[in-house]
Amino acid sequence: MVSKVALLTAGGFAPCLSSAIGGLIQRYTALAPDIEIIAYRYGYQGLLSGDYLTVTPEVRAHADVLHRFGGSPIGNSRVKLTNAKDLVKRGLVAEGVDPLKAAADRLTADGVDVLHTIGGDDTNTTAADLAAYLHENGYELTVVGLPKTIDNDVIPIRQSLGAWTAAEQGARFAQNIIGEHNSGSRMLIVHEVMGRHCGWLTAATARAYRSWLDTQEWVPGIGLSRDAWDVHGVYVPEAHLDLAAESDRLARVMDEIGSVNLFISEGAGLDTIVAELEESGEEVVRDPFGHVKIDKLNPGAWFAKKFAERLGAEKVMVQKSGYFSRAARANLADLELIRSMTELAVDCALRGEAGVIGHDEEQGDVLRAIEFSRIKGGKPFDIDEPWFVELLAGIGQPVTEKIAAH
């Protein structure tokens, strides 16, 4: 019997968090209005510290408003419950305390029967660790996760929440940035898109941007040319980059058009950049999950420097769309996906079925509660996808070889 439910959002933002919270509240209110709902503030940080908001009748009555906003009204943080050293350092647990036990005891003390986690692979693998601990130690609590990541890289989930919106918003961002291509002669514009290990978002953003180009009228006689506004190179972590060959190709574009526009995944070339830094003795900063802090490395600037030298660029601009995109409100496609997933999440919770809600690519794309043990991050983007091959052909970029070990 479920009497109390807790929600939390964690990891980086995505254009689905606010709406997912609203959807869960609406579904519980429709099916089981007597169930108490609380929301831990700042993700697992709030869970460990006992910091939560209570969902009041007024909030329930206005839960639909949450669909109109991005961000997360209850806040996020990056906390790994198996990284005790980091949690002690941050004052979230005392020395010698098992964070998983601390979390389990807090949930018990708060009377929680169901915990909904809304996050990406790190959030849900942390939820998996917690769910396993609860099961192994006799805690009666069900954990049901929702997959949030603009990278769309959760195994084995076909489509994560917020990714479609992030691509659409990244394309909108690019419309203004690429408008700068005539702000100087021989202009190089690098649009850096989020995606640590997976190039899906970079590719989908480029596709969405070029779809926008298809809807526009052009006046080449006065310099308003589609060629100048187009994407000239798309680089993702899953594909080898022949810097010399691409530089030769792009130099011809620069000579002909007078500018070059590149869409680059922040994870493209990351291993090379890290190796260069470590070889020079510089510190590579990492987060609690052991991931390199990409914002400290500036991959876009690295690529810009490499290409600018080879293209004879006279002016260079590097712009990042990630923070513009990830806190946007969900678009219609994501709202429908959120609706279907939150409804199933509540249904599963009420019958005590744990897992992460998603279309299971390994079981015929059926929407179901996927076992936590099967949830992993780092799903690579398939650069052989027909739409991506068509995209590269459309911009004159050769299809590159896959990085086999990715």
Side-chain angles (χ1 to χ4, degrees), residues 271-307:
D271 291 344
T272 301
I273 299 171
V274 170
E276 281 190 7
L277 289 174
E278 290 178 335
E279 187 176 340
S280 67
E282 292 188 47
E283 180 186 5
V284 177
V285 183
R286 300 177 186 271
D287 68 15
F289 291 86
H291 301 317
V292 172
K293 287 193 172 184
I294 294 178
D295 61 324
K296 305 295 184 183
L297 296 184
N298 288 316
W302 185 88
F303 272 100
K305 181 180 178 181
K306 296 292 184 183
F307 276 119

PDB file of all heavy atoms in Angstrom, residues 271-307:
ATOM      1  N   ASP A 271      39.513  12.833 -25.960  1.00  0.00           N
ATOM      2  CA  ASP A 271      40.672  12.038 -25.542  1.00  0.00           C
ATOM      3  C   ASP A 271      41.977  12.703 -25.969  1.00  0.00           C
ATOM      4  O   ASP A 271      42.964  12.704 -25.223  1.00  0.00           O
ATOM      5  CB  ASP A 271      40.582  10.624 -26.136  1.00  0.00           C
ATOM      6  CG  ASP A 271      39.456   9.808 -25.527  1.00  0.00           C
ATOM      7  OD1 ASP A 271      38.967  10.210 -24.457  1.00  0.00           O
ATOM      8  OD2 ASP A 271      39.058   8.792 -26.112  1.00  0.00           O
ATOM      9  N   THR A 272      41.977  13.280 -27.170  1.00  0.00           N
ATOM     10  CA  THR A 272      43.187  13.955 -27.669  1.00  0.00           C
ATOM     11  C   THR A 272      43.504  15.179 -26.827  1.00  0.00           C
ATOM     12  O   THR A 272      44.655  15.433 -26.469  1.00  0.00           O
ATOM     13  CB  THR A 272      42.993  14.366 -29.138  1.00  0.00           C
ATOM     14  OG1 THR A 272      42.714  13.200 -29.918  1.00  0.00           O
ATOM     15  CG2 THR A 272      44.233  15.052 -29.677  1.00  0.00           C
ATOM     16  N   ILE A 273      42.456  15.944 -26.488  1.00  0.00           N
ATOM     17  CA  ILE A 273      42.652  17.154 -25.691  1.00  0.00           C
ATOM     18  C   ILE A 273      43.177  16.805 -24.306  1.00  0.00           C
ATOM     19  O   ILE A 273      44.128  17.417 -23.801  1.00  0.00           O
ATOM     20  CB  ILE A 273      41.332  17.942 -25.583  1.00  0.00           C
ATOM     21  CG1 ILE A 273      40.852  18.371 -26.965  1.00  0.00           C
ATOM     22  CG2 ILE A 273      41.508  19.169 -24.683  1.00  0.00           C
ATOM     23  CD1 ILE A 273      39.446  18.954 -26.975  1.00  0.00           C
ATOM     24  N   VAL A 274      42.564  15.798 -23.670  1.00  0.00           N
ATOM     25  CA  VAL A 274      42.992  15.380 -22.326  1.00  0.00           C
ATOM     26  C   VAL A 274      44.433  14.881 -22.355  1.00  0.00           C
ATOM     27  O   VAL A 274      45.240  15.206 -21.477  1.00  0.00           O
ATOM     28  CB  VAL A 274      42.042  14.295 -21.771  1.00  0.00           C
ATOM     29  CG1 VAL A 274      42.614  13.679 -20.492  1.00  0.00           C
ATOM     30  CG2 VAL A 274      40.667  14.883 -21.502  1.00  0.00           C
ATOM     31  N   ALA A 275      44.758  14.086 -23.389  1.00  0.00           N
ATOM     32  CA  ALA A 275      46.126  13.561 -23.508  1.00  0.00           C
ATOM     33  C   ALA A 275      47.132  14.701 -23.642  1.00  0.00           C
ATOM     34  O   ALA A 275      48.218  14.666 -23.030  1.00  0.00           O
ATOM     35  CB  ALA A 275      46.218  12.620 -24.706  1.00  0.00           C
ATOM     36  N   GLU A 276      46.788  15.727 -24.424  1.00  0.00           N
ATOM     37  CA  GLU A 276      47.682  16.880 -24.587  1.00  0.00           C
ATOM     38  C   GLU A 276      47.907  17.595 -23.262  1.00  0.00           C
ATOM     39  O   GLU A 276      49.030  17.977 -22.917  1.00  0.00           O
ATOM     40  CB  GLU A 276      47.103  17.866 -25.608  1.00  0.00           C
ATOM     41  CG  GLU A 276      47.308  17.462 -27.054  1.00  0.00           C
ATOM     42  CD  GLU A 276      46.929  18.585 -28.016  1.00  0.00           C
ATOM     43  OE1 GLU A 276      46.629  19.709 -27.535  1.00  0.00           O
ATOM     44  OE2 GLU A 276      46.944  18.343 -29.240  1.00  0.00           O
ATOM     45  N   LEU A 277      46.821  17.771 -22.489  1.00  0.00           N
ATOM     46  CA  LEU A 277      46.932  18.456 -21.205  1.00  0.00           C
ATOM     47  C   LEU A 277      47.767  17.658 -20.213  1.00  0.00           C
ATOM     48  O   LEU A 277      48.638  18.206 -19.518  1.00  0.00           O
ATOM     49  CB  LEU A 277      45.531  18.706 -20.625  1.00  0.00           C
ATOM     50  CG  LEU A 277      44.683  19.768 -21.325  1.00  0.00           C
ATOM     51  CD1 LEU A 277      43.282  19.801 -20.737  1.00  0.00           C
ATOM     52  CD2 LEU A 277      45.331  21.138 -21.186  1.00  0.00           C
ATOM     53  N   GLU A 278      47.497  16.354 -20.136  1.00  0.00           N
ATOM     54  CA  GLU A 278      48.229  15.517 -19.183  1.00  0.00           C
ATOM     55  C   GLU A 278      49.701  15.428 -19.548  1.00  0.00           C
ATOM     56  O   GLU A 278      50.571  15.406 -18.666  1.00  0.00           O
ATOM     57  CB  GLU A 278      47.582  14.125 -19.125  1.00  0.00           C
ATOM     58  CG  GLU A 278      46.211  14.147 -18.459  1.00  0.00           C
ATOM     59  CD  GLU A 278      45.533  12.797 -18.444  1.00  0.00           C
ATOM     60  OE1 GLU A 278      45.854  11.942 -19.316  1.00  0.00           O
ATOM     61  OE2 GLU A 278      44.674  12.582 -17.574  1.00  0.00           O
ATOM     62  N   GLU A 279      49.965  15.392 -20.851  1.00  0.00           N
ATOM     63  CA  GLU A 279      51.357  15.335 -21.301  1.00  0.00           C
ATOM     64  C   GLU A 279      52.109  16.612 -20.922  1.00  0.00           C
ATOM     65  O   GLU A 279      53.301  16.584 -20.628  1.00  0.00           O
ATOM     66  CB  GLU A 279      51.404  15.126 -22.820  1.00  0.00           C
ATOM     67  CG  GLU A 279      52.813  14.885 -23.356  1.00  0.00           C
ATOM     68  CD  GLU A 279      52.816  14.577 -24.847  1.00  0.00           C
ATOM     69  OE1 GLU A 279      51.754  14.191 -25.372  1.00  0.00           O
ATOM     70  OE2 GLU A 279      53.879  14.718 -25.475  1.00  0.00           O
ATOM     71  N   SER A 280      51.378  17.732 -20.902  1.00  0.00           N
ATOM     72  CA  SER A 280      52.006  19.008 -20.549  1.00  0.00           C
ATOM     73  C   SER A 280      52.064  19.236 -19.045  1.00  0.00           C
ATOM     74  O   SER A 280      52.593  20.243 -18.580  1.00  0.00           O
ATOM     75  CB  SER A 280      51.258  20.162 -21.211  1.00  0.00           C
ATOM     76  OG  SER A 280      49.955  20.283 -20.664  1.00  0.00           O
ATOM     77  N   GLY A 281      51.479  18.277 -18.281  1.00  0.00           N
ATOM     78  CA  GLY A 281      51.524  18.383 -16.827  1.00  0.00           C
ATOM     79  C   GLY A 281      50.381  19.167 -16.218  1.00  0.00           C
ATOM     80  O   GLY A 281      50.356  19.401 -15.000  1.00  0.00           O
ATOM     81  N   GLU A 282      49.410  19.584 -17.037  1.00  0.00           N
ATOM     82  CA  GLU A 282      48.277  20.339 -16.511  1.00  0.00           C
ATOM     83  C   GLU A 282      47.263  19.402 -15.850  1.00  0.00           C
ATOM     84  O   GLU A 282      47.081  18.255 -16.263  1.00  0.00           O
ATOM     85  CB  GLU A 282      47.590  21.121 -17.633  1.00  0.00           C
ATOM     86  CG  GLU A 282      48.432  22.250 -18.216  1.00  0.00           C
ATOM     87  CD  GLU A 282      47.633  23.113 -19.174  1.00  0.00           C
ATOM     88  OE1 GLU A 282      46.501  23.489 -18.811  1.00  0.00           O
ATOM     89  OE2 GLU A 282      48.136  23.389 -20.280  1.00  0.00           O
ATOM     90  N   GLU A 283      46.597  19.909 -14.822  1.00  0.00           N
ATOM     91  CA  GLU A 283      45.589  19.114 -14.115  1.00  0.00           C
ATOM     92  C   GLU A 283      44.315  19.033 -14.940  1.00  0.00           C
ATOM     93  O   GLU A 283      43.866  20.024 -15.516  1.00  0.00           O
ATOM     94  CB  GLU A 283      45.265  19.752 -12.762  1.00  0.00           C
ATOM     95  CG  GLU A 283      44.213  18.982 -11.968  1.00  0.00           C
ATOM     96  CD  GLU A 283      43.788  19.690 -10.696  1.00  0.00           C
ATOM     97  OE1 GLU A 283      44.241  20.835 -10.474  1.00  0.00           O
ATOM     98  OE2 GLU A 283      43.005  19.100  -9.928  1.00  0.00           O
ATOM     99  N   VAL A 284      43.725  17.835 -14.988  1.00  0.00           N
ATOM    100  CA  VAL A 284      42.442  17.637 -15.662  1.00  0.00           C
ATOM    101  C   VAL A 284      41.384  17.478 -14.573  1.00  0.00           C
ATOM    102  O   VAL A 284      41.375  16.496 -13.837  1.00  0.00           O
ATOM    103  CB  VAL A 284      42.473  16.392 -16.574  1.00  0.00           C
ATOM    104  CG1 VAL A 284      41.097  16.164 -17.200  1.00  0.00           C
ATOM    105  CG2 VAL A 284      43.531  16.555 -17.662  1.00  0.00           C
ATOM    106  N   VAL A 285      40.509  18.458 -14.432  1.00  0.00           N
ATOM    107  CA  VAL A 285      39.518  18.466 -13.358  1.00  0.00           C
ATOM    108  C   VAL A 285      38.374  17.510 -13.691  1.00  0.00           C
ATOM    109  O   VAL A 285      37.873  17.490 -14.816  1.00  0.00           O
ATOM    110  CB  VAL A 285      38.967  19.892 -13.156  1.00  0.00           C
ATOM    111  CG1 VAL A 285      37.983  19.928 -11.980  1.00  0.00           C
ATOM    112  CG2 VAL A 285      40.113  20.874 -12.922  1.00  0.00           C
ATOM    113  N   ARG A 286      37.951  16.726 -12.687  1.00  0.00           N
ATOM    114  CA  ARG A 286      36.876  15.745 -12.879  1.00  0.00           C
ATOM    115  C   ARG A 286      35.788  15.947 -11.838  1.00  0.00           C
ATOM    116  O   ARG A 286      36.040  16.473 -10.749  1.00  0.00           O
ATOM    117  CB  ARG A 286      37.427  14.314 -12.805  1.00  0.00           C
ATOM    118  CG  ARG A 286      38.483  14.030 -13.874  1.00  0.00           C
ATOM    119  CD  ARG A 286      39.081  12.632 -13.743  1.00  0.00           C
ATOM    120  NE  ARG A 286      40.174  12.433 -14.676  1.00  0.00           N
ATOM    121  CZ  ARG A 286      40.025  11.979 -15.918  1.00  0.00           C
ATOM    122  NH1 ARG A 286      38.819  11.670 -16.349  1.00  0.00           N
ATOM    123  NH2 ARG A 286      41.067  11.844 -16.719  1.00  0.00           N
ATOM    124  N   ASP A 287      34.550  15.490 -12.162  1.00  0.00           N
ATOM    125  CA  ASP A 287      33.431  15.619 -11.232  1.00  0.00           C
ATOM    126  C   ASP A 287      33.353  14.388 -10.329  1.00  0.00           C
ATOM    127  O   ASP A 287      34.190  13.479 -10.450  1.00  0.00           O
ATOM    128  CB  ASP A 287      32.122  15.854 -12.006  1.00  0.00           C
ATOM    129  CG  ASP A 287      31.675  14.648 -12.829  1.00  0.00           C
ATOM    130  OD1 ASP A 287      32.182  13.526 -12.604  1.00  0.00           O
ATOM    131  OD2 ASP A 287      30.803  14.812 -13.697  1.00  0.00           O
ATOM    132  N   PRO A 288      32.364  14.323  -9.387  1.00  0.00           N
ATOM    133  CA  PRO A 288      32.272  13.186  -8.472  1.00  0.00           C
ATOM    134  C   PRO A 288      32.091  11.836  -9.150  1.00  0.00           C
ATOM    135  O   PRO A 288      32.351  10.788  -8.538  1.00  0.00           O
ATOM    136  CB  PRO A 288      31.051  13.542  -7.609  1.00  0.00           C
ATOM    137  CG  PRO A 288      30.988  15.027  -7.633  1.00  0.00           C
ATOM    138  CD  PRO A 288      31.424  15.401  -9.021  1.00  0.00           C
ATOM    139  N   PHE A 289      31.634  11.841 -10.412  1.00  0.00           N
ATOM    140  CA  PHE A 289      31.449  10.588 -11.136  1.00  0.00           C
ATOM    141  C   PHE A 289      32.703  10.199 -11.924  1.00  0.00           C
ATOM    142  O   PHE A 289      32.719   9.185 -12.615  1.00  0.00           O
ATOM    143  CB  PHE A 289      30.249  10.691 -12.083  1.00  0.00           C
ATOM    144  CG  PHE A 289      28.930  10.778 -11.377  1.00  0.00           C
ATOM    145  CD1 PHE A 289      28.428  12.007 -10.951  1.00  0.00           C
ATOM    146  CD2 PHE A 289      28.197   9.647 -11.101  1.00  0.00           C
ATOM    147  CE1 PHE A 289      27.221  12.092 -10.281  1.00  0.00           C
ATOM    148  CE2 PHE A 289      26.984   9.713 -10.441  1.00  0.00           C
ATOM    149  CZ  PHE A 289      26.502  10.949 -10.019  1.00  0.00           C
ATOM    150  N   GLY A 290      33.754  11.021 -11.821  1.00  0.00           N
ATOM    151  CA  GLY A 290      34.994  10.736 -12.529  1.00  0.00           C
ATOM    152  C   GLY A 290      35.033  11.277 -13.936  1.00  0.00           C
ATOM    153  O   GLY A 290      36.003  11.090 -14.672  1.00  0.00           O
ATOM    154  N   HIS A 291      33.974  11.998 -14.352  1.00  0.00           N
ATOM    155  CA  HIS A 291      33.933  12.571 -15.695  1.00  0.00           C
ATOM    156  C   HIS A 291      34.787  13.831 -15.758  1.00  0.00           C
ATOM    157  O   HIS A 291      34.789  14.645 -14.829  1.00  0.00           O
ATOM    158  CB  HIS A 291      32.504  12.939 -16.092  1.00  0.00           C
ATOM    159  CG  HIS A 291      31.545  11.794 -16.071  1.00  0.00           C
ATOM    160  ND1 HIS A 291      31.853  10.553 -16.562  1.00  0.00           N
ATOM    161  CD2 HIS A 291      30.263  11.710 -15.607  1.00  0.00           C
ATOM    162  CE1 HIS A 291      30.806   9.749 -16.418  1.00  0.00           C
ATOM    163  NE2 HIS A 291      29.842  10.425 -15.836  1.00  0.00           N
ATOM    164  N   VAL A 292      35.489  13.993 -16.853  1.00  0.00           N
ATOM    165  CA  VAL A 292      36.233  15.224 -17.084  1.00  0.00           C
ATOM    166  C   VAL A 292      35.253  16.400 -17.141  1.00  0.00           C
ATOM    167  O   VAL A 292      34.208  16.323 -17.791  1.00  0.00           O
ATOM    168  CB  VAL A 292      37.024  15.141 -18.413  1.00  0.00           C
ATOM    169  CG1 VAL A 292      37.647  16.491 -18.745  1.00  0.00           C
ATOM    170  CG2 VAL A 292      38.091  14.067 -18.322  1.00  0.00           C
ATOM    171  N   LYS A 293      35.571  17.488 -16.439  1.00  0.00           N
ATOM    172  CA  LYS A 293      34.738  18.688 -16.491  1.00  0.00           C
ATOM    173  C   LYS A 293      35.019  19.419 -17.795  1.00  0.00           C
ATOM    174  O   LYS A 293      35.991  20.164 -17.906  1.00  0.00           O
ATOM    175  CB  LYS A 293      35.001  19.577 -15.279  1.00  0.00           C
ATOM    176  CG  LYS A 293      34.414  19.034 -13.984  1.00  0.00           C
ATOM    177  CD  LYS A 293      34.422  20.086 -12.890  1.00  0.00           C
ATOM    178  CE  LYS A 293      33.653  19.599 -11.673  1.00  0.00           C
ATOM    179  NZ  LYS A 293      33.574  20.644 -10.619  1.00  0.00           N
ATOM    180  N   ILE A 294      34.156  19.161 -18.762  1.00  0.00           N
ATOM    181  CA  ILE A 294      34.388  19.656 -20.116  1.00  0.00           C
ATOM    182  C   ILE A 294      34.418  21.179 -20.170  1.00  0.00           C
ATOM    183  O   ILE A 294      35.146  21.772 -20.964  1.00  0.00           O
ATOM    184  CB  ILE A 294      33.329  19.084 -21.075  1.00  0.00           C
ATOM    185  CG1 ILE A 294      33.519  17.556 -21.198  1.00  0.00           C
ATOM    186  CG2 ILE A 294      33.416  19.724 -22.449  1.00  0.00           C
ATOM    187  CD1 ILE A 294      32.523  16.875 -22.078  1.00  0.00           C
ATOM    188  N   ASP A 295      33.631  21.829 -19.285  1.00  0.00           N
ATOM    189  CA  ASP A 295      33.605  23.292 -19.322  1.00  0.00           C
ATOM    190  C   ASP A 295      34.956  23.898 -18.958  1.00  0.00           C
ATOM    191  O   ASP A 295      35.231  25.060 -19.265  1.00  0.00           O
ATOM    192  CB  ASP A 295      32.516  23.831 -18.401  1.00  0.00           C
ATOM    193  CG  ASP A 295      32.727  23.439 -16.942  1.00  0.00           C
ATOM    194  OD1 ASP A 295      33.205  22.312 -16.690  1.00  0.00           O
ATOM    195  OD2 ASP A 295      32.419  24.249 -16.063  1.00  0.00           O
ATOM    196  N   LYS A 296      35.814  23.095 -18.311  1.00  0.00           N
ATOM    197  CA  LYS A 296      37.162  23.574 -17.979  1.00  0.00           C
ATOM    198  C   LYS A 296      38.133  23.385 -19.144  1.00  0.00           C
ATOM    199  O   LYS A 296      39.224  23.947 -19.147  1.00  0.00           O
ATOM    200  CB  LYS A 296      37.704  22.828 -16.756  1.00  0.00           C
ATOM    201  CG  LYS A 296      36.805  22.886 -15.523  1.00  0.00           C
ATOM    202  CD  LYS A 296      36.662  24.292 -14.988  1.00  0.00           C
ATOM    203  CE  LYS A 296      35.830  24.305 -13.705  1.00  0.00           C
ATOM    204  NZ  LYS A 296      35.627  25.694 -13.203  1.00  0.00           N
ATOM    205  N   LEU A 297      37.748  22.567 -20.119  1.00  0.00           N
ATOM    206  CA  LEU A 297      38.655  22.246 -21.237  1.00  0.00           C
ATOM    207  C   LEU A 297      38.392  23.102 -22.477  1.00  0.00           C
ATOM    208  O   LEU A 297      39.292  23.336 -23.272  1.00  0.00           O
ATOM    209  CB  LEU A 297      38.507  20.772 -21.619  1.00  0.00           C
ATOM    210  CG  LEU A 297      38.898  19.742 -20.565  1.00  0.00           C
ATOM    211  CD1 LEU A 297      38.791  18.346 -21.155  1.00  0.00           C
ATOM    212  CD2 LEU A 297      40.296  19.983 -20.034  1.00  0.00           C
ATOM    213  N   ASN A 298      37.127  23.513 -22.680  1.00  0.00           N
ATOM    214  CA  ASN A 298      36.762  24.293 -23.864  1.00  0.00           C
ATOM    215  C   ASN A 298      37.137  23.604 -25.174  1.00  0.00           C
ATOM    216  O   ASN A 298      37.967  24.100 -25.947  1.00  0.00           O
ATOM    217  CB  ASN A 298      37.406  25.680 -23.810  1.00  0.00           C
ATOM    218  CG  ASN A 298      36.763  26.564 -22.762  1.00  0.00           C
ATOM    219  OD1 ASN A 298      35.540  26.600 -22.641  1.00  0.00           O
ATOM    220  ND2 ASN A 298      37.579  27.263 -21.990  1.00  0.00           N
ATOM    221  N   PRO A 299      36.544  22.426 -25.453  1.00  0.00           N
ATOM    222  CA  PRO A 299      36.844  21.728 -26.715  1.00  0.00           C
ATOM    223  C   PRO A 299      36.591  22.582 -27.950  1.00  0.00           C
ATOM    224  O   PRO A 299      37.325  22.480 -28.932  1.00  0.00           O
ATOM    225  CB  PRO A 299      35.900  20.511 -26.680  1.00  0.00           C
ATOM    226  CG  PRO A 299      35.600  20.305 -25.233  1.00  0.00           C
ATOM    227  CD  PRO A 299      35.568  21.673 -24.631  1.00  0.00           C
ATOM    228  N   GLY A 300      35.535  23.399 -27.909  1.00  0.00           N
ATOM    229  CA  GLY A 300      35.243  24.245 -29.061  1.00  0.00           C
ATOM    230  C   GLY A 300      36.396  25.178 -29.387  1.00  0.00           C
ATOM    231  O   GLY A 300      36.751  25.371 -30.560  1.00  0.00           O
ATOM    232  N   ALA A 301      37.019  25.739 -28.344  1.00  0.00           N
ATOM    233  CA  ALA A 301      38.158  26.637 -28.549  1.00  0.00           C
ATOM    234  C   ALA A 301      39.354  25.870 -29.105  1.00  0.00           C
ATOM    235  O   ALA A 301      40.112  26.388 -29.941  1.00  0.00           O
ATOM    236  CB  ALA A 301      38.528  27.314 -27.227  1.00  0.00           C
ATOM    237  N   TRP A 302      39.517  24.629 -28.646  1.00  0.00           N
ATOM    238  CA  TRP A 302      40.619  23.788 -29.147  1.00  0.00           C
ATOM    239  C   TRP A 302      40.454  23.536 -30.642  1.00  0.00           C
ATOM    240  O   TRP A 302      41.391  23.704 -31.423  1.00  0.00           O
ATOM    241  CB  TRP A 302      40.644  22.474 -28.372  1.00  0.00           C
ATOM    242  CG  TRP A 302      41.788  21.560 -28.699  1.00  0.00           C
ATOM    243  CD1 TRP A 302      43.029  21.548 -28.140  1.00  0.00           C
ATOM    244  CD2 TRP A 302      41.784  20.501 -29.673  1.00  0.00           C
ATOM    245  NE1 TRP A 302      43.802  20.557 -28.692  1.00  0.00           N
ATOM    246  CE2 TRP A 302      43.067  19.896 -29.635  1.00  0.00           C
ATOM    247  CE3 TRP A 302      40.840  19.994 -30.563  1.00  0.00           C
ATOM    248  CZ2 TRP A 302      43.407  18.822 -30.455  1.00  0.00           C
ATOM    249  CZ3 TRP A 302      41.180  18.928 -31.379  1.00  0.00           C
ATOM    250  CH2 TRP A 302      42.453  18.364 -31.315  1.00  0.00           C
ATOM    251  N   PHE A 303      39.239  23.139 -31.042  1.00  0.00           N
ATOM    252  CA  PHE A 303      38.959  22.902 -32.457  1.00  0.00           C
ATOM    253  C   PHE A 303      39.111  24.182 -33.259  1.00  0.00           C
ATOM    254  O   PHE A 303      39.640  24.179 -34.382  1.00  0.00           O
ATOM    255  CB  PHE A 303      37.544  22.342 -32.636  1.00  0.00           C
ATOM    256  CG  PHE A 303      37.463  20.849 -32.545  1.00  0.00           C
ATOM    257  CD1 PHE A 303      37.039  20.233 -31.379  1.00  0.00           C
ATOM    258  CD2 PHE A 303      37.811  20.061 -33.625  1.00  0.00           C
ATOM    259  CE1 PHE A 303      36.969  18.851 -31.295  1.00  0.00           C
ATOM    260  CE2 PHE A 303      37.738  18.671 -33.549  1.00  0.00           C
ATOM    261  CZ  PHE A 303      37.314  18.071 -32.380  1.00  0.00           C
ATOM    262  N   ALA A 304      38.617  25.284 -32.699  1.00  0.00           N
ATOM    263  CA  ALA A 304      38.700  26.558 -33.404  1.00  0.00           C
ATOM    264  C   ALA A 304      40.149  26.922 -33.697  1.00  0.00           C
ATOM    265  O   ALA A 304      40.479  27.378 -34.795  1.00  0.00           O
ATOM    266  CB  ALA A 304      38.039  27.655 -32.571  1.00  0.00           C
ATOM    267  N   LYS A 305      40.998  26.712 -32.732  1.00  0.00           N
ATOM    268  CA  LYS A 305      42.421  27.032 -32.915  1.00  0.00           C
ATOM    269  C   LYS A 305      43.035  26.161 -34.001  1.00  0.00           C
ATOM    270  O   LYS A 305      43.760  26.650 -34.890  1.00  0.00           O
ATOM    271  CB  LYS A 305      43.173  26.850 -31.607  1.00  0.00           C
ATOM    272  CG  LYS A 305      44.661  27.181 -31.713  1.00  0.00           C
ATOM    273  CD  LYS A 305      45.372  26.971 -30.377  1.00  0.00           C
ATOM    274  CE  LYS A 305      46.859  27.264 -30.509  1.00  0.00           C
ATOM    275  NZ  LYS A 305      47.584  27.037 -29.227  1.00  0.00           N
ATOM    276  N   LYS A 306      42.730  24.858 -33.948  1.00  0.00           N
ATOM    277  CA  LYS A 306      43.305  23.928 -34.930  1.00  0.00           C
ATOM    278  C   LYS A 306      42.857  24.278 -36.353  1.00  0.00           C
ATOM    279  O   LYS A 306      43.667  24.304 -37.290  1.00  0.00           O
ATOM    280  CB  LYS A 306      42.902  22.491 -34.594  1.00  0.00           C
ATOM    281  CG  LYS A 306      43.429  21.974 -33.257  1.00  0.00           C
ATOM    282  CD  LYS A 306      44.929  21.799 -33.269  1.00  0.00           C
ATOM    283  CE  LYS A 306      45.410  21.180 -31.955  1.00  0.00           C
ATOM    284  NZ  LYS A 306      46.892  21.065 -31.914  1.00  0.00           N
ATOM    285  N   PHE A 307      41.547  24.532 -36.518  1.00  0.00           N
ATOM    286  CA  PHE A 307      41.031  24.816 -37.851  1.00  0.00           C
ATOM    287  C   PHE A 307      41.407  26.221 -38.331  1.00  0.00           C
ATOM    288  O   PHE A 307      41.692  26.419 -39.516  1.00  0.00           O
ATOM    289  CB  PHE A 307      39.507  24.650 -37.883  1.00  0.00           C
ATOM    290  CG  PHE A 307      39.051  23.230 -38.086  1.00  0.00           C
ATOM    291  CD1 PHE A 307      38.273  22.589 -37.136  1.00  0.00           C
ATOM    292  CD2 PHE A 307      39.395  22.536 -39.238  1.00  0.00           C
ATOM    293  CE1 PHE A 307      37.846  21.276 -37.323  1.00  0.00           C
ATOM    294  CE2 PHE A 307      38.974  21.221 -39.444  1.00  0.00           C
ATOM    295  CZ  PHE A 307      38.202  20.594 -38.473  1.00  0.00           C
TER     296      PHE A 307
END
